[in-house]
Amino acid sequence: NTRSKWTSYLPPLLMKAFWEVPTDTQLLTALLNAGASLKPLKERGVSGLSMLHICFHTTEVNIVKKLFIVADQFSIADELDHSRKPIKEIFKDIADSGLKRNDWQGDFYRVEYEALMHSSPTFVDLVNDWNLHGPTDFIDRSVSHAINEEASLANLRLLFDAGVDISEIAMKQSTDGWNPLHLLTHFHFPRCIKLLMDELAFQVKYSHDGSPQTPKRRAKILRALHHAFSQTDNTLLRTPAHFAGAFFGNSTTLQVLRDGQATVERLIQQYDIELRPRDRALKSPEVLRDRLGNTVQQYVSGTASFEVPTKDMPAHFYKTAMSHNAVGGESAIDAYHRERNSNPTEDRALQMSSRTASTSNDGGWGEFFGRRPDLESDPPSRCDIKEVMTMPTKSEWANLVMEGVPFVVRNGAEQLGLRRDLWERENFIGKYGNQSVRVGKIPYQRSFASYVPRDPEYQHNPMDDNVLLSDFIDSFHEHSRADATGIPNYLFGTQFTTDNPSLMDTAAEAFEFAMDVGGINIVFEGQFYLGPPASGAPAHWHSAAINVMAFGAKRWALFPPYNGAFYSIKPSIDFFKWDVPEMEARGQVLHFTQRSGDILCLPKGWGHATLNIETSIGIAFEISHSPTHPSTISGNYFDAYTQHLEQMKKQSYLGSFGTFDFGN
């Protein structure tokens, strides 16, 4: 069932770790019991791919989605049948009925329920709480992240019990130079790092069979660990400690790394291990400066510089990014270029000239459907994030992205030269009004829930609706009044963009600009959005993203990653009305309003919810930023990863990869 010719060359265990979502303990156990190879794919020097690179349970968002589906079925049974089933039985019902609304893999009951009940105390607590009180309409990221880490801990324990060599922690991926410590730091998994140190304490004393460890083997292990803490990635020359400082500040992860390195140095002295010249030449992570000129302490203290040097950056940092849709296929921008190249220029010019231009700066949307001042922030001009008034150059944009904080470029669409005439109300309805579109009370409702809190029509509308686009737009009037009730539908997703590549007439420049920004290595397909006042997206988080507002006004509530982000299915209008004021009183939320032509850049992991205060139309696309995103890509992104390897081979970064070659 694979689409990649490279898959057949990988050992079964490695292939499984790439393809399975999630990397569950049951299948890992079965493969280990069947004698699957644990050997790494070695390359030159310390380069290669170890099982320690790819065993991590990295599908945190999938955990959240599946929990919401369980909560959804619980709520429907409770409301319609007046029956409260145990969470365990709901997992079984979903598994038996095949009720799967996305591309889940594996046995939903055995893999998703039994495996997590065995491996994750946090999951056990959540199930017990839901059984007692019923599911919540939100899942805090501290909960989903803990489940994710505990599943990864279970995988690591299985691998070490099976005899994985702890010295492989010093093996660096040739694509990005990340060793397993870099990855664990990136995932913010301090307990996994602690487990590695516990395994180190065992392996310096004993071999896998329990016999005393040999001096030669002990020396190899400790030299490898000595290297691992000081190894730097290929892009910014950051050690794992630099990662921790830059991403999380003075966190538990950084402290565990420092404790781990101190343990290694103590063991080297305890066993009188002789360090070779290349070992002694390694600088401590605490004094080493990365390519931006920063030490770990500068990141922790908030005094770091994020200016990307104009010289000495690796060539791949400036390489034009790839574009993909959600499963690694043709993206919206690729489809746009294909369609544009297949149509005569004269025909396209005629299409453009036949459009009716709007006489207002809101594209005719606001003047036709009105505005909801009652939904605005107080004051409306409030902006708690960085504002940029002049469109940054690509190098300036790279610096801003590197800093890792949200920023908005006011009127960036016009400054970038984006054409927005197609998105004006009359032109848009004239071209697309007869199309059928899928709308829902929340974005991607089909993937998350059919039961939406406070939706009186959910019995009759168990899924998102397919409606005529012109009819959907006509419904905007009923939500434009301050006394409007009910939850408006929202059009948000990739399908409309994929079906209509001509929409990229507006967004192509933004896509291509992002693809040329240093450090951005993948730009995913566009997610089109259109909704009336009071529509919006519930609180959620995801990869870094760029959001281009063609016309409208959208209020944003932002929450820092890990200690503030969460997922919710509560409709946006209710969240902003009831929850945001309470969070505001506790100082837990940042506000700003995105207006016509504004371009927002949101870093990875930042929680956010949106509320349209007037009819809003635009496009957003997620990005992968190589300095903050690992090249080990699981699941459906395998093809994207192998394409990246192939490109690296063309640029002579790679020779043969493990036991196979990329060909002539």
Side-chain angles (χ1 to χ4, degrees):
N1 293 326
T2 66
R3 295 167 297 158
S4 172
K5 60 184 178 181
W6 309 121
T7 309
S8 60
Y9 292 96
L10 295 175
L13 201 58
L14 294 174
M15 181 174 67
K16 166 250 178 268
F18 274 124
W19 275 97
E20 286 305 313
V21 181
T23 307
D24 65 86
T25 54
Q26 295 219 5
L27 185 54
L28 185 56
T29 301
L31 286 166
L32 290 171
N33 290 340
S37 172
L38 288 170
K39 292 182 179 180
L41 297 178
K42 292 184 178 181
E43 298 179 56
R44 298 181 297 272
V46 297
S47 294
L49 198 65
S50 163
M51 277 303 302
L52 296 177
H53 278 110
I54 57 180
C55 74
F56 305 122
H57 191 293
T58 60
T59 53
E60 187 178 345
V61 172
N62 275 13
I63 294 174
V64 172
K65 288 182 178 180
K66 293 167 187 178
L67 285 174
F68 274 130
I69 295 299
V70 172
D72 175 52
Q73 294 303 301
F74 183 101
S75 299
I76 290 176
D78 190 34
E79 187 76 20
L80 298 183
D81 303 332
H82 303 289
S83 63
R84 175 166 286 196
K85 286 187 176 181
I87 298 299
K88 176 179 180 179
E89 296 303 315
I90 292 176
F91 268 95
K92 281 186 175 180
D93 288 347
I94 295 174
D96 293 342
S97 67
L99 181 64
K100 297 181 179 182
R101 295 174 214 162
N102 58 14
D103 55 345
W104 301 349
Q105 298 176 5
D107 184 314
F108 187 67
Y109 175 70
R110 293 179 60 209
V111 171
E112 308 298 336
Y113 180 81
E114 286 192 335
L116 289 178
M117 287 294 286
H118 178 73
S119 63
S120 173
T122 303
F123 183 77
V124 172
D125 289 343
L126 180 140
V127 168
N128 290 338
D129 183 71
W130 282 15
N131 279 328
L132 187 62
H133 304 291
T136 59
D137 56 18
F138 70 93
I139 298 174
D140 194 274
R141 187 162 190 196
S142 63
V143 173
S144 59
H145 180 260
I147 295 172
N148 200 20
E149 183 177 18
E150 287 157 5
S152 299
L153 277 167
N155 288 341
L156 279 174
R157 291 190 184 101
L158 283 171
L159 290 176
F160 286 133
D161 288 346
V164 164
D165 184 352
I166 188 69
S167 67
E168 290 176 20
I169 203 170
M171 187 168 286
K172 297 175 61 173
Q173 293 182 125
S174 53
T175 49
D176 52 25
W178 292 29
N179 67 30
L181 280 179
H182 284 100
L183 281 164
L184 288 172
T185 303
H186 162 82
F187 293 137
H188 202 17
F189 283 175
R191 287 181 288 176
C192 288
I193 299 174
K194 178 67 166 57
L195 177 62
L196 290 180
M197 294 303 102
D198 292 342
E199 182 65 21
L200 168 66
F202 176 84
Q203 290 198 23
V204 296
K205 291 182 179 180
Y206 306 102
S207 63
H208 180 61
D209 62 9
S211 60
Q213 189 59 270
T214 64
K216 182 177 180 180
R217 174 82 185 123
R218 181 184 298 120
K220 177 185 177 182
I221 291 172
L222 289 173
R223 288 184 186 125
L225 270 292
H226 177 75
H227 270 261
F229 283 97
S230 297
Q231 283 174 330
T232 59
D233 73 296
N234 293 344
T235 304
L236 294 181
L237 300 182
R238 285 175 172 171
T239 67
H242 281 84
F243 272 32
F247 300 161
F248 312 115
N250 191 19
S251 63
T252 305
T253 298
L254 178 58
Q255 188 56 53
V256 170
L257 283 169
R258 286 170 166 168
D259 292 346
Q261 186 180 14
T263 298
V264 171
E265 301 310 317
R266 177 178 56 78
L267 289 172
I268 287 175
Q269 293 184 7
Q270 177 181 334
Y271 289 103
D272 196 24
I273 303 298
E274 181 180 357
L275 296 178
R276 293 172 245 187
R278 68 186 183 95
D279 301 325
R280 293 193 296 270
L282 290 172
K283 290 185 179 181
S284 166
E286 299 298 329
V287 300
L288 192 68
R289 292 183 181 271
D290 64 11
R291 275 201 215 268
L292 305 186
N294 299 319
T295 63
V296 174
Q297 190 55 39
Q298 283 178 288
Y299 286 117
V300 171
S301 64
T303 59
S305 166
F306 294 94
E307 184 174 349
V308 179
T310 56
K311 297 181 180 180
D312 301 326
M313 290 298 289
H316 67 262
F317 183 82
Y318 293 109
K319 180 182 177 295
T320 299
M322 298 182 290
S323 60
H324 290 293
N325 68 17
V327 293
E330 185 181 50
S331 67
I333 188 67
D334 293 333
Y336 166 71
H337 285 303
R338 175 173 50 76
E339 183 180 88
R340 185 174 64 178
N341 293 334
S342 65
N343 289 337
T345 304
E346 295 78 15
D347 291 346
R348 288 182 51 78
L350 181 62
Q351 294 170 12
M352 298 290 286
S353 64
S354 66
R355 297 177 189 163
T356 303
S358 174
T359 58
S360 67
N361 59 9
D362 65 2
W365 297 98
E367 64 183 0
F368 194 79
F369 294 111
R371 185 182 184 85
R372 289 279 301 272
D374 60 300
L375 302 179
E376 296 211 58
S377 59
D378 185 20
S381 60
R382 176 177 174 180
C383 184
D384 299 332
I385 67 171
K386 179 176 290 189
E387 286 184 287
V388 182
M389 298 303 179
T390 303
M391 186 67 192
T393 64
K394 290 174 184 176
S395 60
E396 291 170 340
W397 194 287
N399 297 343
L400 289 165
V401 173
M402 193 73 72
E403 190 173 353
V405 297
F407 65 92
V408 58
V409 182
R410 296 298 188 188
N411 203 25
E414 183 173 336
Q415 297 183 61
L416 195 58
L418 303 189
R419 300 195 60 167
R420 290 182 285 165
D421 54 339
L422 179 58
W423 300 59
E424 294 166 355
R425 187 182 64 84
E426 291 187 7
N427 292 335
F428 187 81
I429 295 174
K431 186 172 181 65
Y432 304 113
N434 290 327
Q435 290 196 21
S436 177
V437 294
R438 178 181 292 168
V439 299
K441 306 298 183 184
I442 61 176
Y444 298 110
Q445 185 170 329
R446 185 174 295 267
S447 295
F448 285 97
S450 60
Y451 178 91
V452 174
R454 204 178 64 81
D455 179 9
E457 298 180 349
Y458 74 88
Q459 300 104 315
H460 313 293
N461 179 27
M463 287 291 188
D464 33 14
D465 279 341
N466 285 306
V467 299
L468 204 62
L469 181 56
S470 58
D471 292 341
F472 170 58
I473 294 173
D474 286 342
S475 72
F476 290 3
H477 283 292
E478 62 186 87
H479 299 287
S480 300
R481 306 185 313 273
D483 61 350
T485 60
I487 305 165
N489 279 323
Y490 194 28
L491 170 54
F492 189 105
T494 59
Q495 192 61 50
F496 191 73
T497 316
T498 304
D499 291 344
N500 300 283
S502 58
L503 278 170
M504 299 302 293
D505 279 337
T506 287
E509 289 86 350
F511 265 71
E512 290 163 353
F513 179 90
M515 291 169 70
D516 283 336
V517 169
I520 295 178
N521 59 344
I522 300 178
V523 179
F524 293 98
E525 63 183 334
Q527 300 180 84
F528 172 80
Y529 59 85
L530 170 64
S535 64
H540 63 292
W541 51 267
H542 47 61
S543 299
I546 295 174
N547 186 297
V548 182
M549 171 78 78
F551 297 108
K554 185 192 300 285
R555 185 177 165 190
W556 290 72
L558 304 178
F559 320 99
Y562 292 105
N563 60 352
F566 58 96
Y567 251 92
S568 175
I569 59 170
K570 178 178 284 190
S572 180
I573 182 65
D574 288 350
F575 177 73
F576 275 84
K577 182 177 181 180
W578 302 111
D579 297 83
V580 168
E582 293 184 5
M583 302 178 74
E584 177 76 17
R586 297 193 297 267
Q588 296 176 324
V589 61
L590 302 177
H591 288 279
F592 88 100
T593 298
Q594 183 184 19
R595 306 186 189 279
S596 294
D598 289 349
I599 301 177
L600 167 71
C601 185
L602 192 68
K604 178 182 178 181
W606 273 75
H608 54 285
T610 65
L611 178 66
N612 293 319
I613 57 182
E614 64 181 59
T615 296
S616 297
I617 183 171
I619 194 166
F621 43 97
E622 295 183 26
I623 60 175
S624 168
H625 187 235
S626 59
T628 59
H629 193 280
S631 290
T632 300
I633 303 174
S634 303
N636 290 328
Y637 298 108
F638 183 82
D639 277 354
Y641 182 59
T642 52
Q643 289 175 33
H644 180 54
L645 290 176
E646 192 172 14
Q647 187 61 39
M648 295 287 279
K649 168 64 167 64
K650 292 177 181 177
Q651 295 180 359
S652 300
Y653 289 113
L654 287 174
S656 68
F657 188 68
T659 57
F660 65 92
D661 195 281
F662 281 94
N664 296 321

